Amino acid sequence: MGWRHLVNAGPGAMLPAVLLAGCATTGGAPRPYLPAIDVPARGETQPVGTARADAADDPAIWRNAVDPAASLIVGTDKKAGLYVYGLDGKVRDFFAAGAINNVDLREVRMADGTTRILVAASDRTDRSDPRIALFWLDGATGKLTEIGSDTFLPAGHVPAEAYGFCLGGSLGQNELARAYVVLKDGTVAESGLYEKDGRIVPDFLRQVKFASQSEGCVVDDATGTLFVAEEDVGIWRVPLQGELKAEAFARVGARDGLVDDVEGLAMARLPGSSWLVASSQGDNAYAVFDSASGKLAGRFRINGGAIDGTSDTDGIEVVLGDFGPQFPEGLFIAQDGDNAPDAQNFKLLSWRSIRQALGLD
């Protein structure tokens, strides 16, 4: 089947389909197991509370610039709510928020001049009415405070399920951030997040639509680019300036190191260069791309060492910088789909270990 793509730029506007050759597996054919370098985990979180189920899904990282070792991880249990972990993997807080699927966070500057940690997530509790769930994270205590869960699509929208989610920096006046909700039908809805009457509310702006189920997304603020993973097809790049138009970035197949499903995406940015990391869920690996050129820089698996590896990874995240002696250049986190005999959890890796294993500059 060809690599088909149909884009909607703004409500009701339709652009021509893009056709590219694809090679997603069909009909139960075995998936390829492509070469990758083993990199061991340095740590792991306590398991999520939902046992014997596909429950853990997506992580986000808050780096404590003053005390890096006191940084925090937010992770979803998509059957129950949100966890907050320390870098030791121990639970700092749990908020029973319902079916929260993907999560992201940003430090935002409020109208009163203070800076707060805003946590936002795709809320699929109501499968026909997608919502954005919003929380404050206290960096000192690790506690979450609920702001609310708000619908964001225009009235009369077609029933849809919130699925993937990511945040980008503000692109408009008085905005705190931009939110991108990936609906299960392939639509990506962009909303501005605004401070209003003591709440944070989303305001729908425009959308881009992919031809099939999509989930993972990440925003590169430095270039103003949204990356989206269409699971059985590949990765798309969407410049955020002007009309939303998707461009092919990487496709499922051996050449680009991706085996369907393509799931979580994360951005590792250095001065002068940046790397896009993707979960190649179909063969339990992670592909690293030069985010500017789209060139595949290498692949790795989480394996070896005293901590078990990962498989069937949904969400991933990476933040560069000092996180203490275990993670001196940055922290990479991946959801582990099989943490037997325990429930699913998240594995922690040193970015330095990944960089050195793949020979990244």
Side-chain angles (χ1 to χ4, degrees):
M1 184 176 184
W3 192 10
R4 296 181 302 144
H5 175 72
L6 177 62
V7 175
N8 284 349
M14 187 171 291
L15 296 175
V18 177
L19 297 175
L20 293 170
C23 51
T25 55
T26 57
R31 293 172 173 178
Y33 197 76
L34 303 177
I37 298 172
D38 286 349
V39 179
R42 292 281 184 91
E44 63 181 330
T45 67
Q46 292 178 318
V48 298
T50 303
R52 296 182 295 278
D54 180 23
D57 195 279
D58 190 47
I61 301 168
W62 174 70
R63 179 178 175 272
N64 187 329
V66 176
D67 184 4
S71 299
L72 298 170
I73 301 161
V74 179
T76 63
D77 178 335
K78 61 189 176 187
K79 310 292 185 183
L82 283 175
Y83 282 89
V84 181
Y85 303 95
L87 295 188
D88 58 3
K90 294 181 180 179
V91 175
R92 298 288 194 270
D93 192 24
F94 172 73
F95 196 99
I100 301 299
N101 200 58
N102 282 189
V103 65
D104 205 352
L105 60 82
R106 292 272 168 153
E107 290 190 0
V108 297
R109 190 166 184 82
M110 309 299 292
D112 62 6
T114 61
T115 298
R116 305 188 70 176
I117 307 167
L118 178 66
V119 175
S122 54
D123 185 351
R124 61 195 295 207
T125 303
D126 184 339
R127 298 295 174 96
S128 65
D129 185 19
R131 291 174 173 267
I132 299 173
L134 296 160
F135 308 83
W136 295 123
L137 173 64
D138 187 318
T141 66
K143 301 299 182 182
L144 290 166
T145 302
E146 185 176 32
I147 301 171
S149 183
D150 288 304
T151 188
F152 55 91
L153 291 180
H157 68 82
V158 176
E161 179 182 342
Y163 203 43
F165 184 83
C166 57
L167 286 174
S170 169
L171 295 175
Q173 188 175 10
N174 299 323
E175 251 183 19
L176 296 179
R178 283 279 167 104
Y180 298 87
V181 181
V182 184
L183 307 180
K184 207 164 189 179
D185 69 355
T187 301
V188 183
E190 179 190 51
S191 298
L193 297 180
Y194 298 90
E195 187 178 1
K196 184 178 181 181
D197 299 329
R199 288 176 53 85
I200 308 302
V201 296
D203 182 22
F204 174 76
L205 299 171
R206 52 187 179 169
Q207 68 185 39
V208 58
K209 190 175 190 314
F210 299 90
S212 62
Q213 183 170 304
S214 306
E215 182 177 5
C217 69
V218 69
V219 176
D220 182 1
D221 287 332
T223 61
T225 305
L226 170 70
F227 292 89
V228 179
E230 189 177 359
E231 294 186 3
D232 293 338
V233 176
I235 302 169
W236 298 89
R237 172 169 45 201
V238 184
L240 297 175
Q241 300 80 14
E243 186 179 23
L244 295 183
K245 294 182 180 180
E247 305 165 352
F249 180 81
R251 63 182 178 184
V252 166
R255 188 191 71 179
D256 286 344
L258 296 173
V259 179
D260 64 316
D261 301 332
V262 184
E263 292 279 350
L265 299 179
M267 179 67 62
R269 174 160 286 283
L270 293 166
S273 64
S274 60
W275 309 99
L276 180 73
V277 188
S279 170
S280 177
Q281 190 186 70
D283 71 337
N284 303 325
Y286 310 89
V288 181
F289 300 89
D290 182 304
S291 68
S293 68
K295 181 180 179 181
L296 178 66
R299 288 168 33 93
F300 68 96
R301 290 189 174 89
I302 300 176
N303 198 19
I307 298 171
D308 63 306
T310 59
S311 60
D312 299 320
T313 293
D314 286 318
I316 61 174
E317 182 60 294
V318 60
V319 173
L320 302 189
D322 176 22
F323 282 84
Q326 282 282 88
F327 313 101
E329 295 182 14
L331 174 64
F332 176 84
I333 302 179
Q335 179 259 6
D336 184 8
D338 184 2
N339 191 44
D342 298 317
Q344 295 177 345
N345 72 346
F346 301 91
K347 299 298 193 287
L348 284 61
L349 279 74
S350 165
W351 177 255
R352 175 183 286 176
S353 298
I354 297 169
R355 180 183 62 77
Q356 291 178 342
L358 300 184
L360 305 177
D361 295 329

